PDB file of all heavy atoms in Angstrom:
ATOM      1  N   LEU A  18      33.558 -41.993  39.213  1.00 97.00           N
ATOM      2  CA  LEU A  18      32.975 -43.251  38.762  1.00 97.00           C
ATOM      3  C   LEU A  18      33.052 -43.307  37.241  1.00 97.00           C
ATOM      4  O   LEU A  18      33.000 -42.269  36.566  1.00 97.00           O
ATOM      5  CB  LEU A  18      31.521 -43.377  39.218  1.00 97.00           C
ATOM      6  CG  LEU A  18      31.266 -43.323  40.727  1.00 97.00           C
ATOM      7  CD1 LEU A  18      29.762 -43.359  41.003  1.00 97.00           C
ATOM      8  CD2 LEU A  18      31.973 -44.467  41.438  1.00 97.00           C
ATOM      9  N   LEU A  19      33.158 -44.509  36.698  1.00 98.00           N
ATOM     10  CA  LEU A  19      33.331 -44.656  35.258  1.00 98.00           C
ATOM     11  C   LEU A  19      31.991 -44.727  34.528  1.00 98.00           C
ATOM     12  O   LEU A  19      31.206 -45.654  34.710  1.00 98.00           O
ATOM     13  CB  LEU A  19      34.157 -45.896  34.949  1.00 98.00           C
ATOM     14  CG  LEU A  19      35.652 -45.783  35.264  1.00 98.00           C
ATOM     15  CD1 LEU A  19      36.382 -47.051  34.822  1.00 98.00           C
ATOM     16  CD2 LEU A  19      36.274 -44.562  34.611  1.00 98.00           C
ATOM     17  N   ASP A  20      31.762 -43.720  33.707  1.00 98.00           N
ATOM     18  CA  ASP A  20      30.611 -43.684  32.823  1.00 98.00           C
ATOM     19  C   ASP A  20      30.969 -44.417  31.526  1.00 98.00           C
ATOM     20  O   ASP A  20      32.121 -44.784  31.300  1.00 98.00           O
ATOM     21  CB  ASP A  20      30.228 -42.229  32.543  1.00 98.00           C
ATOM     22  CG  ASP A  20      30.165 -41.402  33.823  1.00 98.00           C
ATOM     23  OD1 ASP A  20      29.385 -41.771  34.726  1.00 98.00           O
ATOM     24  OD2 ASP A  20      30.908 -40.402  33.931  1.00 98.00           O
ATOM     25  N   VAL A  21      29.991 -44.622  30.669  1.00 98.00           N
ATOM     26  CA  VAL A  21      30.213 -45.356  29.420  1.00 98.00           C
ATOM     27  C   VAL A  21      29.701 -44.530  28.251  1.00 98.00           C
ATOM     28  O   VAL A  21      28.607 -43.961  28.309  1.00 98.00           O
ATOM     29  CB  VAL A  21      29.502 -46.727  29.445  1.00 98.00           C
ATOM     30  CG1 VAL A  21      29.580 -47.408  28.079  1.00 98.00           C
ATOM     31  CG2 VAL A  21      30.119 -47.629  30.512  1.00 98.00           C
ATOM     32  N   ILE A  22      30.506 -44.448  27.194  1.00 98.00           N
ATOM     33  CA  ILE A  22      30.084 -43.845  25.935  1.00 98.00           C
ATOM     34  C   ILE A  22      29.983 -44.947  24.889  1.00 98.00           C
ATOM     35  O   ILE A  22      30.918 -45.718  24.692  1.00 98.00           O
ATOM     36  CB  ILE A  22      31.059 -42.757  25.459  1.00 98.00           C
ATOM     37  CG1 ILE A  22      31.077 -41.578  26.446  1.00 98.00           C
ATOM     38  CG2 ILE A  22      30.663 -42.251  24.065  1.00 98.00           C
ATOM     39  CD1 ILE A  22      32.074 -40.496  26.083  1.00 98.00           C
ATOM     40  N   ALA A  23      28.835 -45.023  24.232  1.00 98.00           N
ATOM     41  CA  ALA A  23      28.600 -46.032  23.202  1.00 98.00           C
ATOM     42  C   ALA A  23      27.989 -45.368  21.980  1.00 98.00           C
ATOM     43  O   ALA A  23      27.265 -44.373  22.090  1.00 98.00           O
ATOM     44  CB  ALA A  23      27.669 -47.121  23.731  1.00 98.00           C
ATOM     45  N   SER A  24      28.274 -45.926  20.806  1.00 97.00           N
ATOM     46  CA  SER A  24      27.735 -45.400  19.556  1.00 97.00           C
ATOM     47  C   SER A  24      26.803 -46.431  18.933  1.00 97.00           C
ATOM     48  O   SER A  24      27.222 -47.548  18.621  1.00 97.00           O
ATOM     49  CB  SER A  24      28.873 -45.053  18.598  1.00 97.00           C
ATOM     50  OG  SER A  24      28.374 -44.469  17.410  1.00 97.00           O
ATOM     51  N   PHE A  25      25.538 -46.046  18.750  1.00 97.00           N
ATOM     52  CA  PHE A  25      24.526 -46.977  18.229  1.00 97.00           C
ATOM     53  C   PHE A  25      23.297 -46.179  17.825  1.00 97.00           C
ATOM     54  O   PHE A  25      23.106 -45.027  18.242  1.00 97.00           O
ATOM     55  CB  PHE A  25      24.140 -48.014  19.301  1.00 97.00           C
ATOM     56  CG  PHE A  25      23.522 -47.401  20.538  1.00 97.00           C
ATOM     57  CD1 PHE A  25      22.140 -47.367  20.699  1.00 97.00           C
ATOM     58  CD2 PHE A  25      24.319 -46.835  21.521  1.00 97.00           C
ATOM     59  CE1 PHE A  25      21.569 -46.781  21.822  1.00 97.00           C
ATOM     60  CE2 PHE A  25      23.758 -46.257  22.645  1.00 97.00           C
ATOM     61  CZ  PHE A  25      22.379 -46.229  22.806  1.00 97.00           C
ATOM     62  N   ASN A  26      22.457 -46.765  16.983  1.00 96.00           N
ATOM     63  CA  ASN A  26      21.178 -46.174  16.573  1.00 96.00           C
ATOM     64  C   ASN A  26      21.313 -44.719  16.124  1.00 96.00           C
ATOM     65  O   ASN A  26      20.482 -43.863  16.437  1.00 96.00           O
ATOM     66  CB  ASN A  26      20.157 -46.257  17.712  1.00 96.00           C
ATOM     67  CG  ASN A  26      19.708 -47.670  18.004  1.00 96.00           C
ATOM     68  OD1 ASN A  26      20.035 -48.597  17.252  1.00 96.00           O
ATOM     69  ND2 ASN A  26      18.982 -47.865  19.095  1.00 96.00           N
ATOM     70  N   GLY A  27      22.374 -44.414  15.387  1.00 96.00           N
ATOM     71  CA  GLY A  27      22.557 -43.075  14.855  1.00 96.00           C
ATOM     72  C   GLY A  27      23.031 -42.041  15.847  1.00 96.00           C
ATOM     73  O   GLY A  27      22.921 -40.840  15.575  1.00 96.00           O
ATOM     74  N   THR A  28      23.558 -42.485  17.002  1.00 96.00           N
ATOM     75  CA  THR A  28      23.987 -41.544  18.031  1.00 96.00           C
ATOM     76  C   THR A  28      25.337 -41.942  18.617  1.00 96.00           C
ATOM     77  O   THR A  28      25.810 -43.058  18.447  1.00 96.00           O
ATOM     78  CB  THR A  28      22.997 -41.490  19.209  1.00 96.00           C
ATOM     79  OG1 THR A  28      23.107 -42.695  20.002  1.00 96.00           O
ATOM     80  CG2 THR A  28      21.566 -41.327  18.734  1.00 96.00           C
ATOM     81  N   VAL A  29      25.927 -40.989  19.339  1.00 97.00           N
ATOM     82  CA  VAL A  29      26.946 -41.265  20.341  1.00 97.00           C
ATOM     83  C   VAL A  29      26.312 -40.871  21.667  1.00 97.00           C
ATOM     84  O   VAL A  29      25.892 -39.722  21.835  1.00 97.00           O
ATOM     85  CB  VAL A  29      28.241 -40.471  20.104  1.00 97.00           C
ATOM     86  CG1 VAL A  29      29.270 -40.806  21.168  1.00 97.00           C
ATOM     87  CG2 VAL A  29      28.802 -40.738  18.716  1.00 97.00           C
ATOM     88  N   SER A  30      26.215 -41.804  22.612  1.00 97.00           N
ATOM     89  CA  SER A  30      25.457 -41.571  23.832  1.00 97.00           C
ATOM     90  C   SER A  30      26.289 -41.862  25.077  1.00 97.00           C
ATOM     91  O   SER A  30      27.126 -42.767  25.084  1.00 97.00           O
ATOM     92  CB  SER A  30      24.191 -42.432  23.857  1.00 97.00           C
ATOM     93  OG  SER A  30      23.280 -42.028  22.852  1.00 97.00           O
ATOM     94  N   LEU A  31      26.014 -41.097  26.121  1.00 97.00           N
ATOM     95  CA  LEU A  31      26.703 -41.220  27.405  1.00 97.00           C
ATOM     96  C   LEU A  31      25.766 -41.826  28.435  1.00 97.00           C
ATOM     97  O   LEU A  31      24.626 -41.372  28.605  1.00 97.00           O
ATOM     98  CB  LEU A  31      27.169 -39.836  27.873  1.00 97.00           C
ATOM     99  CG  LEU A  31      27.750 -39.711  29.272  1.00 97.00           C
ATOM    100  CD1 LEU A  31      29.072 -40.461  29.389  1.00 97.00           C
ATOM    101  CD2 LEU A  31      27.943 -38.240  29.644  1.00 97.00           C
ATOM    102  N   PHE A  32      26.263 -42.848  29.159  1.00 97.00           N
ATOM    103  CA  PHE A  32      25.507 -43.498  30.227  1.00 97.00           C
ATOM    104  C   PHE A  32      26.237 -43.234  31.549  1.00 97.00           C
ATOM    105  O   PHE A  32      27.412 -43.582  31.695  1.00 97.00           O
ATOM    106  CB  PHE A  32      25.392 -44.996  29.960  1.00 97.00           C
ATOM    107  CG  PHE A  32      24.613 -45.329  28.717  1.00 97.00           C
ATOM    108  CD1 PHE A  32      25.248 -45.353  27.476  1.00 97.00           C
ATOM    109  CD2 PHE A  32      23.258 -45.589  28.781  1.00 97.00           C
ATOM    110  CE1 PHE A  32      24.545 -45.651  26.323  1.00 97.00           C
ATOM    111  CE2 PHE A  32      22.539 -45.890  27.633  1.00 97.00           C
ATOM    112  CZ  PHE A  32      23.182 -45.918  26.393  1.00 97.00           C
ATOM    113  N   ILE A  33      25.517 -42.650  32.507  1.00 97.00           N
ATOM    114  CA  ILE A  33      26.126 -42.167  33.736  1.00 97.00           C
ATOM    115  C   ILE A  33      26.146 -43.250  34.816  1.00 97.00           C
ATOM    116  O   ILE A  33      25.118 -43.867  35.129  1.00 97.00           O
ATOM    117  CB  ILE A  33      25.373 -40.925  34.268  1.00 97.00           C
ATOM    118  CG1 ILE A  33      25.416 -39.793  33.236  1.00 97.00           C
ATOM    119  CG2 ILE A  33      25.960 -40.458  35.597  1.00 97.00           C
ATOM    120  CD1 ILE A  33      26.802 -39.254  32.953  1.00 97.00           C
ATOM    121  N   ALA A  34      27.339 -43.490  35.383  1.00 97.00           N
ATOM    122  CA  ALA A  34      27.503 -44.402  36.522  1.00 97.00           C
ATOM    123  C   ALA A  34      26.919 -43.753  37.773  1.00 97.00           C
ATOM    124  O   ALA A  34      26.774 -42.536  37.852  1.00 97.00           O
ATOM    125  CB  ALA A  34      28.986 -44.703  36.714  1.00 97.00           C
ATOM    126  N   PRO A  35      26.522 -44.532  38.796  1.00 96.00           N
ATOM    127  CA  PRO A  35      26.818 -45.961  38.950  1.00 96.00           C
ATOM    128  C   PRO A  35      25.772 -46.922  38.390  1.00 96.00           C
ATOM    129  O   PRO A  35      26.013 -48.119  38.373  1.00 96.00           O
ATOM    130  CB  PRO A  35      26.911 -46.118  40.461  1.00 96.00           C
ATOM    131  CG  PRO A  35      25.929 -45.132  40.993  1.00 96.00           C
ATOM    132  CD  PRO A  35      26.019 -43.950  40.068  1.00 96.00           C
ATOM    133  N   THR A  36      24.603 -46.420  37.972  1.00 96.00           N
ATOM    134  CA  THR A  36      23.587 -47.347  37.463  1.00 96.00           C
ATOM    135  C   THR A  36      23.590 -47.428  35.947  1.00 96.00           C
ATOM    136  O   THR A  36      23.017 -48.361  35.390  1.00 96.00           O
ATOM    137  CB  THR A  36      22.182 -46.910  37.913  1.00 96.00           C
ATOM    138  OG1 THR A  36      21.872 -45.642  37.317  1.00 96.00           O
ATOM    139  CG2 THR A  36      22.111 -46.805  39.432  1.00 96.00           C
ATOM    140  N   TRP A  37      24.170 -46.415  35.273  1.00 97.00           N
ATOM    141  CA  TRP A  37      24.192 -46.330  33.814  1.00 97.00           C
ATOM    142  C   TRP A  37      22.777 -46.269  33.220  1.00 97.00           C
ATOM    143  O   TRP A  37      22.570 -46.574  32.057  1.00 97.00           O
ATOM    144  CB  TRP A  37      24.989 -47.492  33.208  1.00 97.00           C
ATOM    145  CG  TRP A  37      26.401 -47.512  33.696  1.00 97.00           C
ATOM    146  CD1 TRP A  37      27.441 -46.759  33.240  1.00 97.00           C
ATOM    147  CD2 TRP A  37      26.928 -48.292  34.764  1.00 97.00           C
ATOM    148  NE1 TRP A  37      28.580 -47.014  33.962  1.00 97.00           N
ATOM    149  CE2 TRP A  37      28.294 -47.971  34.898  1.00 97.00           C
ATOM    150  CE3 TRP A  37      26.391 -49.255  35.619  1.00 97.00           C
ATOM    151  CZ2 TRP A  37      29.123 -48.563  35.860  1.00 97.00           C
ATOM    152  CZ3 TRP A  37      27.216 -49.841  36.571  1.00 97.00           C
ATOM    153  CH2 TRP A  37      28.564 -49.492  36.676  1.00 97.00           C
ATOM    154  N   GLN A  38      21.824 -45.838  34.045  1.00 95.00           N
ATOM    155  CA  GLN A  38      20.446 -45.708  33.573  1.00 95.00           C
ATOM    156  C   GLN A  38      20.163 -44.325  32.995  1.00 95.00           C
ATOM    157  O   GLN A  38      19.271 -44.170  32.163  1.00 95.00           O
ATOM    158  CB  GLN A  38      19.465 -45.999  34.716  1.00 95.00           C
ATOM    159  CG  GLN A  38      19.600 -47.404  35.294  1.00 95.00           C
ATOM    160  CD  GLN A  38      19.437 -48.487  34.250  1.00 95.00           C
ATOM    161  OE1 GLN A  38      18.372 -48.620  33.650  1.00 95.00           O
ATOM    162  NE2 GLN A  38      20.488 -49.276  34.024  1.00 95.00           N
ATOM    163  N   GLN A  39      20.906 -43.304  33.443  1.00 95.00           N
ATOM    164  CA  GLN A  39      20.780 -41.971  32.865  1.00 95.00           C
ATOM    165  C   GLN A  39      21.529 -41.934  31.545  1.00 95.00           C
ATOM    166  O   GLN A  39      22.719 -42.238  31.481  1.00 95.00           O
ATOM    167  CB  GLN A  39      21.368 -40.908  33.801  1.00 95.00           C
ATOM    168  CG  GLN A  39      20.551 -40.616  35.026  1.00 95.00           C
ATOM    169  CD  GLN A  39      21.216 -39.532  35.861  1.00 95.00           C
ATOM    170  OE1 GLN A  39      22.206 -39.775  36.539  1.00 95.00           O
ATOM    171  NE2 GLN A  39      20.684 -38.331  35.787  1.00 95.00           N
ATOM    172  N   GLN A  40      20.834 -41.550  30.481  1.00 96.00           N
ATOM    173  CA  GLN A  40      21.436 -41.528  29.152  1.00 96.00           C
ATOM    174  C   GLN A  40      21.326 -40.124  28.568  1.00 96.00           C
ATOM    175  O   GLN A  40      20.267 -39.496  28.612  1.00 96.00           O
ATOM    176  CB  GLN A  40      20.736 -42.527  28.232  1.00 96.00           C
ATOM    177  CG  GLN A  40      21.253 -42.514  26.803  1.00 96.00           C
ATOM    178  CD  GLN A  40      20.495 -43.473  25.905  1.00 96.00           C
ATOM    179  OE1 GLN A  40      19.723 -44.311  26.373  1.00 96.00           O
ATOM    180  NE2 GLN A  40      20.697 -43.366  24.604  1.00 96.00           N
ATOM    181  N   TYR A  41      22.441 -39.645  28.009  1.00 95.00           N
ATOM    182  CA  TYR A  41      22.466 -38.344  27.350  1.00 95.00           C
ATOM    183  C   TYR A  41      23.047 -38.524  25.952  1.00 95.00           C
ATOM    184  O   TYR A  41      24.128 -39.100  25.790  1.00 95.00           O
ATOM    185  CB  TYR A  41      23.310 -37.338  28.139  1.00 95.00           C
ATOM    186  CG  TYR A  41      22.804 -37.109  29.539  1.00 95.00           C
ATOM    187  CD1 TYR A  41      23.405 -37.746  30.624  1.00 95.00           C
ATOM    188  CD2 TYR A  41      21.721 -36.276  29.778  1.00 95.00           C
ATOM    189  CE1 TYR A  41      22.939 -37.554  31.913  1.00 95.00           C
ATOM    190  CE2 TYR A  41      21.243 -36.074  31.068  1.00 95.00           C
ATOM    191  CZ  TYR A  41      21.854 -36.711  32.131  1.00 95.00           C
ATOM    192  OH  TYR A  41      21.379 -36.529  33.409  1.00 95.00           O
ATOM    193  N   VAL A  42      22.338 -38.035  24.949  1.00 96.00           N
ATOM    194  CA  VAL A  42      22.821 -38.106  23.576  1.00 96.00           C
ATOM    195  C   VAL A  42      23.830 -36.978  23.362  1.00 96.00           C
ATOM    196  O   VAL A  42      23.494 -35.802  23.462  1.00 96.00           O
ATOM    197  CB  VAL A  42      21.670 -38.006  22.566  1.00 96.00           C
ATOM    198  CG1 VAL A  42      22.217 -37.958  21.133  1.00 96.00           C
ATOM    199  CG2 VAL A  42      20.728 -39.193  22.725  1.00 96.00           C
ATOM    200  N   MET A  43      25.071 -37.348  23.061  1.00 96.00           N
ATOM    201  CA  MET A  43      26.146 -36.383  22.850  1.00 96.00           C
ATOM    202  C   MET A  43      26.187 -35.890  21.410  1.00 96.00           C
ATOM    203  O   MET A  43      26.598 -34.762  21.141  1.00 96.00           O
ATOM    204  CB  MET A  43      27.496 -37.036  23.171  1.00 96.00           C
ATOM    205  CG  MET A  43      27.601 -37.605  24.571  1.00 96.00           C
ATOM    206  SD  MET A  43      28.853 -38.898  24.678  1.00 96.00           S
ATOM    207  CE  MET A  43      30.267 -38.149  23.916  1.00 96.00           C
ATOM    208  N   HIS A  44      25.795 -36.769  20.486  1.00 96.00           N
ATOM    209  CA  HIS A  44      25.915 -36.439  19.069  1.00 96.00           C
ATOM    210  C   HIS A  44      24.931 -37.293  18.276  1.00 96.00           C
ATOM    211  O   HIS A  44      24.751 -38.476  18.568  1.00 96.00           O
ATOM    212  CB  HIS A  44      27.345 -36.721  18.586  1.00 96.00           C
ATOM    213  CG  HIS A  44      27.581 -36.442  17.135  1.00 96.00           C
ATOM    214  ND1 HIS A  44      27.644 -35.167  16.623  1.00 96.00           N
ATOM    215  CD2 HIS A  44      27.773 -37.280  16.074  1.00 96.00           C
ATOM    216  CE1 HIS A  44      27.869 -35.225  15.322  1.00 96.00           C
ATOM    217  NE2 HIS A  44      27.946 -36.489  14.968  1.00 96.00           N
ATOM    218  N   ARG A  45      24.286 -36.672  17.282  1.00 95.00           N
ATOM    219  CA  ARG A  45      23.399 -37.405  16.378  1.00 95.00           C
ATOM    220  C   ARG A  45      23.959 -37.337  14.956  1.00 95.00           C
ATOM    221  O   ARG A  45      24.315 -36.262  14.470  1.00 95.00           O
ATOM    222  CB  ARG A  45      21.982 -36.820  16.397  1.00 95.00           C
ATOM    223  CG  ARG A  45      21.251 -37.024  17.713  1.00 95.00           C
ATOM    224  CD  ARG A  45      19.800 -36.581  17.616  1.00 95.00           C
ATOM    225  NE  ARG A  45      19.123 -36.673  18.903  1.00 95.00           N
ATOM    226  CZ  ARG A  45      18.579 -37.772  19.377  1.00 95.00           C
ATOM    227  NH1 ARG A  45      18.598 -38.886  18.648  1.00 95.00           N
ATOM    228  NH2 ARG A  45      17.981 -37.777  20.555  1.00 95.00           N
ATOM    229  N   PHE A  46      24.005 -38.502  14.306  1.00 95.00           N
ATOM    230  CA  PHE A  46      24.480 -38.553  12.934  1.00 95.00           C
ATOM    231  C   PHE A  46      23.343 -38.219  11.973  1.00 95.00           C
ATOM    232  O   PHE A  46      22.164 -38.378  12.287  1.00 95.00           O
ATOM    233  CB  PHE A  46      25.027 -39.945  12.606  1.00 95.00           C
ATOM    234  CG  PHE A  46      26.237 -40.328  13.405  1.00 95.00           C
ATOM    235  CD1 PHE A  46      26.132 -41.237  14.450  1.00 95.00           C
ATOM    236  CD2 PHE A  46      27.472 -39.780  13.121  1.00 95.00           C
ATOM    237  CE1 PHE A  46      27.243 -41.604  15.188  1.00 95.00           C
ATOM    238  CE2 PHE A  46      28.588 -40.126  13.857  1.00 95.00           C
ATOM    239  CZ  PHE A  46      28.474 -41.037  14.897  1.00 95.00           C
ATOM    240  N   THR A  47      23.719 -37.778  10.791  1.00 90.00           N
ATOM    241  CA  THR A  47      22.757 -37.532   9.722  1.00 90.00           C
ATOM    242  C   THR A  47      23.107 -38.423   8.533  1.00 90.00           C
ATOM    243  O   THR A  47      24.162 -39.054   8.497  1.00 90.00           O
ATOM    244  CB  THR A  47      22.789 -36.058   9.283  1.00 90.00           C
ATOM    245  OG1 THR A  47      24.109 -35.725   8.835  1.00 90.00           O
ATOM    246  CG2 THR A  47      22.390 -35.143  10.438  1.00 90.00           C
ATOM    247  N   GLY A  48      22.215 -38.465   7.568  1.00 88.00           N
ATOM    248  CA  GLY A  48      22.495 -39.198   6.338  1.00 88.00           C
ATOM    249  C   GLY A  48      22.457 -40.705   6.470  1.00 88.00           C
ATOM    250  O   GLY A  48      23.038 -41.415   5.644  1.00 88.00           O
ATOM    251  N   GLY A  49      21.820 -41.202   7.503  1.00 88.00           N
ATOM    252  CA  GLY A  49      21.669 -42.633   7.654  1.00 88.00           C
ATOM    253  C   GLY A  49      22.799 -43.349   8.358  1.00 88.00           C
ATOM    254  O   GLY A  49      22.779 -44.584   8.469  1.00 88.00           O
ATOM    255  N   THR A  50      23.811 -42.612   8.848  1.00 91.00           N
ATOM    256  CA  THR A  50      24.904 -43.241   9.590  1.00 91.00           C
ATOM    257  C   THR A  50      24.376 -43.842  10.882  1.00 91.00           C
ATOM    258  O   THR A  50      23.720 -43.159  11.668  1.00 91.00           O
ATOM    259  CB  THR A  50      26.010 -42.222   9.913  1.00 91.00           C
ATOM    260  OG1 THR A  50      26.544 -41.716   8.686  1.00 91.00           O
ATOM    261  CG2 THR A  50      27.120 -42.849  10.735  1.00 91.00           C
ATOM    262  N   LYS A  51      24.664 -45.107  11.122  1.00 92.00           N
ATOM    263  CA  LYS A  51      24.131 -45.801  12.293  1.00 92.00           C
ATOM    264  C   LYS A  51      25.008 -45.659  13.532  1.00 92.00           C
ATOM    265  O   LYS A  51      24.522 -45.746  14.655  1.00 92.00           O
ATOM    266  CB  LYS A  51      23.921 -47.280  11.961  1.00 92.00           C
ATOM    267  CG  LYS A  51      22.861 -47.512  10.899  1.00 92.00           C
ATOM    268  CD  LYS A  51      22.670 -49.003  10.615  1.00 92.00           C
ATOM    269  CE  LYS A  51      21.594 -49.218   9.572  1.00 92.00           C
ATOM    270  NZ  LYS A  51      21.374 -50.665   9.269  1.00 92.00           N
ATOM    271  N   GLY A  52      26.318 -45.475  13.316  1.00 94.00           N
ATOM    272  CA  GLY A  52      27.189 -45.348  14.468  1.00 94.00           C
ATOM    273  C   GLY A  52      28.643 -45.506  14.084  1.00 94.00           C
ATOM    274  O   GLY A  52      28.983 -45.801  12.932  1.00 94.00           O
ATOM    275  N   CYS A  53      29.514 -45.307  15.056  1.00 96.00           N
ATOM    276  CA  CYS A  53      30.950 -45.429  14.833  1.00 96.00           C
ATOM    277  C   CYS A  53      31.385 -46.889  14.896  1.00 96.00           C
ATOM    278  O   CYS A  53      30.769 -47.709  15.565  1.00 96.00           O
ATOM    279  CB  CYS A  53      31.717 -44.626  15.877  1.00 96.00           C
ATOM    280  SG  CYS A  53      31.616 -42.847  15.595  1.00 96.00           S
ATOM    281  N   ILE A  54      32.495 -47.172  14.239  1.00 95.00           N
ATOM    282  CA  ILE A  54      33.040 -48.520  14.256  1.00 95.00           C
ATOM    283  C   ILE A  54      34.104 -48.680  15.328  1.00 95.00           C
ATOM    284  O   ILE A  54      34.387 -49.782  15.777  1.00 95.00           O
ATOM    285  CB  ILE A  54      33.592 -48.890  12.865  1.00 95.00           C
ATOM    286  CG1 ILE A  54      33.712 -50.409  12.733  1.00 95.00           C
ATOM    287  CG2 ILE A  54      34.916 -48.174  12.575  1.00 95.00           C
ATOM    288  CD1 ILE A  54      33.867 -50.892  11.310  1.00 95.00           C
ATOM    289  N   HIS A  55      34.718 -47.564  15.788  1.00 97.00           N
ATOM    290  CA  HIS A  55      35.717 -47.631  16.842  1.00 97.00           C
ATOM    291  C   HIS A  55      35.832 -46.262  17.498  1.00 97.00           C
ATOM    292  O   HIS A  55      35.408 -45.247  16.933  1.00 97.00           O
ATOM    293  CB  HIS A  55      37.071 -48.067  16.280  1.00 97.00           C
ATOM    294  CG  HIS A  55      37.952 -48.753  17.269  1.00 97.00           C
ATOM    295  ND1 HIS A  55      39.306 -48.548  17.349  1.00 97.00           N
ATOM    296  CD2 HIS A  55      37.661 -49.643  18.258  1.00 97.00           C
ATOM    297  CE1 HIS A  55      39.824 -49.297  18.308  1.00 97.00           C
ATOM    298  NE2 HIS A  55      38.839 -49.967  18.875  1.00 97.00           N
ATOM    299  N   SER A  56      36.414 -46.208  18.707  1.00 98.00           N
ATOM    300  CA  SER A  56      36.479 -44.939  19.433  1.00 98.00           C
ATOM    301  C   SER A  56      37.603 -44.952  20.458  1.00 98.00           C
ATOM    302  O   SER A  56      38.131 -46.004  20.831  1.00 98.00           O
ATOM    303  CB  SER A  56      35.137 -44.643  20.117  1.00 98.00           C
ATOM    304  OG  SER A  56      34.793 -45.666  21.046  1.00 98.00           O
ATOM    305  N   GLU A  57      37.947 -43.748  20.937  1.00 98.00           N
ATOM    306  CA  GLU A  57      38.966 -43.550  21.962  1.00 98.00           C
ATOM    307  C   GLU A  57      38.573 -42.364  22.831  1.00 98.00           C
ATOM    308  O   GLU A  57      37.729 -41.546  22.444  1.00 98.00           O
ATOM    309  CB  GLU A  57      40.334 -43.262  21.331  1.00 98.00           C
ATOM    310  CG  GLU A  57      41.202 -44.489  21.101  1.00 98.00           C
ATOM    311  CD  GLU A  57      41.814 -45.047  22.386  1.00 98.00           C
ATOM    312  OE1 GLU A  57      41.424 -44.578  23.481  1.00 98.00           O
ATOM    313  OE2 GLU A  57      42.677 -45.928  22.294  1.00 98.00           O
ATOM    314  N   VAL A  58      39.179 -42.264  24.018  1.00 98.00           N
ATOM    315  CA  VAL A  58      39.027 -41.082  24.852  1.00 98.00           C
ATOM    316  C   VAL A  58      40.410 -40.511  25.144  1.00 98.00           C
ATOM    317  O   VAL A  58      41.359 -41.255  25.413  1.00 98.00           O
ATOM    318  CB  VAL A  58      38.277 -41.384  26.169  1.00 98.00           C
ATOM    319  CG1 VAL A  58      36.821 -41.687  25.886  1.00 98.00           C
ATOM    320  CG2 VAL A  58      38.910 -42.539  26.931  1.00 98.00           C
TER     321      VAL A  58
END
């Protein structure tokens, strides 16, 4: 099933399908960085 990775609020976070309600923080930024502007897998 396709999960979703999104970058926001100072993190890169993984949302697990099929409900995408389970969230795991993969990476936390420091220094005030809010998130990525683009990404690939």
